[in-house]
Amino acid sequence: MTATAPAAPPRDGGRDAPRALRLWRSARAPVAVVTALVVVSVLLSLGTERFPTGYLEPGSVSPDGTRALVEVLGEDRDVDVVRSSSAAVEALGRAGGDAVLVVFLDHRLLPSELEELAALDTDTVLVQPSVASLAAFAPGVEVTGREVPDNILEYGFSPECGLPAAEAAGNATVGGELYSAPAGADATGCYPGGSGDALLRVEDGGTATTVLGTGTPLTNTALDTGGNAALAMNLMAAENVVWLRPDPPRQEGSATLWELVPPGLRWSLAPLVATLLLLALWRGRRMGALVPEALPVVVRASETTEGRAGLYQARKARDRAAYALRSGFLERTVPKLGLSAETPPEAVVETVAARTGDDPAHLRALLHPDGHDPYAADDDALVRLADELDERARRLR
């Protein structure tokens, strides 16, 4: 019997395997570096997009923005976001007949701009409008109260009216300012509160003006609560939606402090500056390099506040304490109202009054008293001032 010899292995098989292994070992480090760079680049590119911020900002993805509503509206209708009254007029002209104008933060518009928009004869939705806006779009409609219950964001209000847009939506978190229409007006009120309705529609000929007491149901956070989304879609039921959120007004033509100084006084500053320079050269000393030195102690902010309050109390400087309280309130509140630090006091008072429903005269005495300050009379008055400022801050949240 003859034995069969085993088959010989491939000649190059033993060589190919070590060669591929050597190739992988030499290439794995560059491949890992390139892969890491690609992953890092992708992750960094995800955060390059910057969204605008602000209350009821149509491009904001923050809780108080309205990007979600704009995206939903844009699925079956044309949404044109504009930033000025002139742009809104042009957009409505392009849109044609089936259009609705939605106005936010109308306190940034001038009375002439409001009258121009009101004369366009188109359906309008006003979100928490000012008194001037109500007078232009819905004459006779007044702010009669404010309704912000603790459970509004969870349960909402029942429409309790015959308006189809509200009936179809059902319960919605509509609260805020309450309105009432004059006797004899063709008006329908929904979501009633203690002294008025949080949603009021006024018919005038072939157009309708809808007044909404708060923008909360339109925000990204509350849009999916109850019937908020359905209510917003029904109120803006048109082929073209012109979304007007005006930018803050810019002050132009204001003079600088140097321009207000008389020319004679300007020239008198030249010898004074020369004298100061000569005095500095005469009395100046050669300074060495700066030497860093750690602070001996760390003082907490609360201790600084208590120390300053103690100094005010020791000196009986109630006027300065009242000024500090008002300054802190205005620094926190003015940016939230869409105003700048250079806004005149009267404009700030009118805007706060429009938002809170307070008497402008009382707010003027509270924020910018003229002459004698009644809140600086004694310690009890200072405490009352602090309580009233806290109450206004709570309303403006």
Side-chain angles (χ1 to χ4, degrees):
M1 186 172 179
T2 305
T4 304
R11 292 184 178 180
D12 298 335
R15 297 179 181 178
D16 291 342
R19 184 182 302 172
L21 184 59
R22 288 195 304 270
L23 181 62
W24 164 245
R25 287 178 178 176
S26 61
R28 62 184 178 181
V31 170
V33 172
V34 172
T35 304
L37 290 176
V38 171
V39 173
V40 171
S41 300
V42 172
L43 293 178
L44 291 177
S45 64
L46 295 178
T48 56
E49 186 176 3
R50 294 292 183 267
F51 296 98
T53 59
Y55 179 59
L56 300 179
E57 167 61 46
S60 174
V61 296
S62 58
D64 60 350
T66 53
R67 182 183 176 89
L69 177 58
V70 173
E71 294 293 334
V72 173
L73 290 173
E75 293 179 357
D76 59 354
R77 65 201 76 182
D78 294 330
V79 181
D80 196 351
V81 177
V82 294
R83 301 292 180 173
S84 64
S85 60
S86 58
V89 173
E90 295 177 0
L92 289 172
R94 295 191 303 267
D98 192 8
V100 59
L101 172 65
V102 188
V103 184
F104 303 85
L105 304 182
D106 53 11
H107 62 277
R108 297 178 176 177
L109 299 175
L110 297 174
S112 58
E113 294 177 308
L114 293 174
E115 294 175 359
E116 182 183 8
L117 293 174
L120 295 177
D121 197 23
T122 185
D123 291 344
T124 307
V125 178
L126 304 176
V127 180
Q128 200 171 358
S130 62
V131 176
S133 183
L134 288 176
F137 287 91
V141 175
E142 296 180 351
V143 180
T144 55
R146 187 174 180 83
E147 187 75 21
V148 187
D150 295 336
N151 59 353
I152 183 174
L153 292 178
E154 182 176 359
Y155 301 103
F157 281 162
S158 174
E160 300 182 17
C161 66
L163 188 65
E167 283 187 334
N171 287 5
T173 58
V174 180
E177 296 178 354
L178 304 177
Y179 307 94
S180 62
D186 187 6
T188 303
C190 301
Y191 302 98
S195 57
D197 300 298
L199 189 150
L200 185 67
R201 169 165 288 188
V202 181
E203 303 281 347
D204 185 10
T207 61
T209 299
T210 304
V211 183
L212 193 62
T214 179
T216 299
L218 311 180
T219 59
N220 298 327
T221 300
L223 188 63
D224 61 346
T225 302
N228 291 346
L231 179 64
M233 298 287 289
N234 295 339
L235 294 179
M236 305 175 194
E239 292 184 1
N240 299 276
V241 177
V242 178
W243 187 292
L244 173 57
R245 186 185 184 274
D247 291 330
R250 296 181 179 179
Q251 295 183 355
E252 297 180 355
S254 59
T256 62
L257 181 60
W258 180 252
E259 294 174 348
L260 297 176
V261 176
L265 184 58
R266 298 181 193 174
W267 286 109
S268 66
L269 296 177
L272 178 60
V273 172
T275 303
L276 292 177
L277 290 176
L278 292 175
L279 180 62
L281 292 175
W282 174 46
R283 300 295 297 177
R285 296 181 180 179
R286 184 177 179 180
M287 305 295 291
L290 295 177
V291 179
E293 182 178 358
L295 292 176
V297 293
V298 177
V299 181
R300 295 179 299 176
S302 60
E303 294 182 2
T304 305
T305 303
E306 293 174 359
R308 182 176 297 179
L311 291 175
Y312 286 158
Q313 185 178 15
R315 295 293 182 179
K316 297 183 179 180
R318 299 187 184 91
D319 54 343
R320 297 200 177 192
Y323 175 79
L325 290 173
R326 292 187 176 101
S327 299
F329 172 79
L330 293 174
E331 289 177 359
R332 296 189 302 270
T333 304
V334 167
K336 296 181 180 179
L337 298 175
L339 304 176
S340 62
E342 293 79 13
T343 303
E346 289 296 329
V348 176
V349 170
E350 292 178 1
T351 303
V352 175
R355 290 297 186 88
T356 61
D358 291 330
D359 182 14
H362 178 69
L363 280 178
R364 193 175 296 107
L366 180 65
L367 300 179
H368 301 283
D370 295 333
H372 176 68
D373 186 1
Y375 292 98
D378 50 29
D379 293 343
D380 294 336
L382 275 178
V383 173
R384 187 169 65 256
L385 172 63
D387 293 340
E388 292 195 21
L389 292 177
D390 290 341
E391 174 64 18
R392 274 37 178 211
R394 185 187 64 79
R395 293 183 187 178
L396 293 173
R397 288 178 183 172

